[in-house]
Amino acid sequence: MFTYHRTIRVQDTDATGVLYFANQLQIGMEAFEEFLASQGFSLNEMIEKKKFLLPVVHAEADFAAPLYLGDQLEVTLSFSHIGNRSFTHTSDILKGGKKVGTVTIIHAVLCPKTKRATPIPLELSKIFTCA
Amino acid sequence: MFTYHRTIRVQDTDATGVLYFANQLQIGMEAFEEFLASQGFSLNEMIEKKKFLLPVVHAEADFAAPLYLGDQLEVTLSFSHIGNRSFTHTSDILKGGKKVGTVTIIHAVLCPKTKRATPIPLELSKIFTCA
Amino acid sequence: MFTYHRTIRVQDTDATGVLYFANQLQIGMEAFEEFLASQGFSLNEMIEKKKFLLPVVHAEADFAAPLYLGDQLEVTLSFSHIGNRSFTHTSDILKGGKKVGTVTIIHAVLCPKTKRATPIPLELSKIFTCA
Amino acid sequence: MFTYHRTIRVQDTDATGVLYFANQLQIGMEAFEEFLASQGFSLNEMIEKKKFLLPVVHAEADFAAPLYLGDQLEVTLSFSHIGNRSFTHTSDILKGGKKVGTVTIIHAVLCPKTKRATPIPLELSKIFTCA
């Protein structure tokens, strides 16, 4: 399990006074990005060297409580499924130790040239076991 | 069924060259906002007059094809469930007539004062039958 | 002069109840994108074919009135300066016929390979005279 | 001078492969938010208690170098002007110790009821001297 800390900022909120719903899904992706960086994996290099692509094929979120400007969140990411050509990470979002939401994202793994599904590369699968 | 047209703009995309995933969920919400406006319902008035709140309690999306800068989308919104204290809208996203994704969003209806679930107000339920 | 119409949506606003300031700058860019599209110029093709780059080197905005969810804006874009290797577009933002803000953006023109400034390509300069 | 650290994430970038320009202005605001929080000032409380408003009246940014996904930035914020009813903060953005951009934002101070300019409250002016 990997932990990411995040503060709700002005641009995350909307006129109803709370976190704009799609930004909660963004926070789930940020946790994944931060996890990869913590393991020394560079998404920028992956894109520039056209190693492989990790498009999102499904995403979902549950919202259990409103989140306000300035709220300090603890986001715990884990890999709930690691398949052959896709994987799933789930982030629990906690505020003051209480779960206020979840985000689940399924990524496919594609070959940039053929745009076809390809097995999860070793450099990723070996670090997925770290969360 | 309500139809909303949307062009993918620079800010919608990310460094992988396609639509950033969370922005597809945003597009599903935009379709709902546009539908409400088309029926003469003002979200701003709803917020300012503290009539009721419509927080998102669940959201999900499927992604069937990459979407690029400049893509012109047709988004068709319908209400897949209208309950007592919550409702669900689903948007199919089409590009060149082909379905490239979906977004489903469940809203609760809350009383702003008590923050408790309350029945869908008549002014909303009567227009939900229009999509 | 080119006119772009834009409605303020939930995701454009923040917890203060009005348009988040950086999103006004985004609206100025959208007007430019919409102008290019109206002239048959594809930004996506420009990026994919690595023809040239148009990075922003300076941007500024003035804010004369708060903008609310649902506000319908008229954005008028014109080219205030067309230099040798850079150009400037300015958007006036109007609400109900009254000016509520401006956005000015200066773009350089770069060669993607050398990353050096290059003259404005003819395919752009000839359409800039249309706004 | 106050220092804020920020990593460029996927959602900050666009299809040109670099930071979307308006998100640099957002980073300047984040630095201000982070500074206020570091001084114990709560923007959420300010909004909820309707103490005063701090609308942006002018914002500008210079862009000296492209910023990429994963870049780690150091943002140094200082108050370049503190007037009677407005104030200005400027953020220098550094990457690897080299300045790659700036953001300057001017806020007015308004009374929420009258929507008129009001002197900078003591609770703000006393902390502005800390940056």
Side-chain angles (χ1 to χ4, degrees):
Chain A
M1 209 170 69
F2 173 78
T3 302
Y4 168 61
H5 292 90
R6 176 66 149 78
T7 302
I8 301 295
R9 301 197 182 285
V10 175
Q11 77 265 16
D12 297 316
T13 61
D14 65 33
T16 65
V18 301
L19 179 68
Y20 178 67
F21 87 107
N23 293 340
Q24 180 166 315
L25 288 115
Q26 180 179 301
I27 288 171
M29 185 62 89
E30 285 175 27
F32 176 60
E33 292 179 54
E34 194 77 3
F35 167 71
L36 291 179
S38 76
Q39 296 296 318
F41 182 86
S42 165
L43 276 172
N44 195 46
E45 196 181 298
M46 179 195 86
I47 294 169
E48 288 203 338
K49 296 196 174 170
K50 298 186 183 182
K51 293 176 170 184
F52 42 87
L53 294 167
L54 303 174
V56 174
V57 292
H58 181 81
E60 59 183 277
D62 286 299
F63 305 80
L67 297 178
Y68 298 94
L69 176 54
D71 277 358
Q72 296 188 7
L73 308 176
E74 190 178 87
V75 183
T76 59
L77 176 135
S78 58
F79 289 87
S80 40
H81 180 73
I82 299 177
N84 285 324
R85 295 172 154 77
S86 69
F87 60 91
T88 306
H89 53 83
T90 296
S91 289
D92 284 340
I93 300 176
L94 295 99
K95 175 179 155 182
K98 199 189 154 200
K99 191 159 130 181
V100 290
T102 61
V103 180
T104 296
I105 298 173
I106 308 178
H107 295 260
V109 185
L110 293 191
C111 169
K113 283 183 191 167
T114 63
K115 298 281 164 75
R116 292 186 181 210
T118 189
I120 298 176
L122 186 61
E123 62 181 309
L124 274 184
S125 59
K126 73 181 180 195
I127 64 176
F128 285 173
T129 59
C130 303
Chain B
M1 209 170 68
F2 173 77
T3 301
Y4 168 61
H5 291 90
R6 178 63 149 78
T7 301
I8 301 295
R9 302 197 181 284
V10 174
Q11 77 265 16
D12 298 316
T13 62
D14 66 33
T16 65
V18 301
L19 179 69
Y20 179 65
F21 87 107
N23 293 340
Q24 180 166 315
L25 288 115
Q26 180 179 300
I27 288 171
M29 186 61 89
E30 285 175 27
F32 176 59
E33 292 178 54
E34 194 77 4
F35 166 71
L36 291 179
S38 76
Q39 297 296 318
F41 182 86
S42 165
L43 276 171
N44 194 46
E45 196 181 296
M46 179 194 88
I47 295 168
E48 290 202 338
K49 294 195 174 169
K50 299 188 182 180
K51 293 176 171 183
F52 41 87
L53 294 168
L54 303 175
V56 174
V57 292
H58 180 80
E60 60 183 279
D62 286 298
F63 305 79
L67 296 179
Y68 298 94
L69 176 54
D71 277 357
Q72 296 188 5
L73 309 175
E74 191 176 270
V75 183
T76 58
L77 176 135
S78 57
F79 288 88
S80 39
H81 181 72
I82 299 177
N84 285 325
R85 293 171 156 76
S86 69
F87 60 91
T88 306
H89 52 85
T90 295
S91 289
D92 284 339
I93 300 176
L94 295 100
K95 175 179 156 182
K98 200 188 152 200
K99 192 159 131 180
V100 291
T102 60
V103 180
T104 295
I105 298 173
I106 307 178
H107 295 260
V109 185
L110 294 190
C111 169
K113 284 184 191 165
T114 64
K115 298 284 165 73
R116 293 189 181 208
T118 188
I120 299 178
L122 186 62
E123 60 181 311
L124 274 184
S125 59
K126 73 180 179 194
I127 64 177
F128 286 173
T129 59
C130 302
Chain C
M1 208 170 70
F2 173 77
T3 302
Y4 168 61
H5 291 89
R6 177 66 149 78
T7 302
I8 300 296
R9 302 197 181 286
V10 175
Q11 77 265 16
D12 299 317
T13 61
D14 66 33
T16 64
V18 300
L19 179 69
Y20 179 65
F21 87 108
N23 293 340
Q24 179 166 315
L25 289 115
Q26 179 179 301
I27 288 172
M29 186 61 89
E30 286 175 27
F32 177 59
E33 292 179 55
E34 194 77 3
F35 167 71
L36 291 179
S38 76
Q39 296 295 319
F41 182 86
S42 165
L43 275 172
N44 194 47
E45 195 181 298
M46 180 194 87
I47 295 169
E48 289 203 338
K49 295 196 174 169
K50 299 186 182 181
K51 292 176 171 184
F52 41 87
L53 294 167
L54 303 175
V56 174
V57 292
H58 180 79
E60 59 182 278
D62 286 299
F63 305 79
L67 296 179
Y68 298 95
L69 176 54
D71 277 358
Q72 296 188 6
L73 308 176
E74 190 177 88
V75 183
T76 58
L77 176 134
S78 57
F79 289 87
S80 39
H81 181 72
I82 299 177
N84 286 323
R85 294 170 154 76
S86 70
F87 59 91
T88 305
H89 52 85
T90 295
S91 288
D92 284 339
I93 299 176
L94 295 100
K95 175 179 157 182
K98 199 188 154 199
K99 192 158 131 182
V100 290
T102 61
V103 180
T104 295
I105 299 173
I106 307 178
H107 296 260
V109 185
L110 293 191
C111 169
K113 285 183 190 166
T114 63
K115 298 281 165 75
R116 291 188 181 209
T118 188
I120 299 176
L122 186 61
E123 61 180 311
L124 275 184
S125 60
K126 73 182 179 193
I127 65 176
F128 285 174
T129 59
C130 303
Chain D
M1 209 169 68
F2 173 77
T3 301
Y4 168 61
H5 292 90
R6 177 63 150 79
T7 302
I8 300 295
R9 302 197 182 284
V10 176
Q11 77 265 17
D12 298 318
T13 61
D14 66 34
T16 65
V18 301
L19 179 69
Y20 179 65
F21 87 107
N23 293 340
Q24 180 166 315
L25 288 116
Q26 181 179 300
I27 288 172
M29 185 62 88
E30 286 176 27
F32 176 60
E33 291 178 55
E34 194 76 4
F35 166 71
L36 292 180
S38 76
Q39 296 296 319
F41 181 86
S42 165
L43 275 172
N44 194 47
E45 196 181 297
M46 179 194 87
I47 294 169
E48 289 202 338
K49 295 196 174 169
K50 298 187 183 182
K51 292 176 172 184
F52 41 88
L53 294 167
L54 302 175
V56 174
V57 292
H58 180 80
E60 60 182 279
D62 286 298
F63 306 80
L67 296 178
Y68 298 95
L69 176 54
D71 278 357
Q72 296 187 6
L73 308 176
E74 191 177 88
V75 183
T76 58
L77 175 135
S78 58
F79 289 88
S80 38
H81 180 73
I82 300 177
N84 286 323
R85 294 171 154 77
S86 70
F87 60 91
T88 305
H89 53 84
T90 296
S91 289
D92 284 340
I93 300 176
L94 294 100
K95 175 179 157 182
K98 198 188 154 201
K99 190 160 133 181
V100 290
T102 60
V103 179
T104 296
I105 298 174
I106 307 177
H107 295 260
V109 185
L110 293 191
C111 169
K113 284 185 193 168
T114 63
K115 298 283 165 73
R116 293 189 181 207
T118 189
I120 299 177
L122 186 62
E123 61 180 310
L124 274 184
S125 59
K126 74 182 179 196
I127 65 176
F128 285 173
T129 59
C130 303

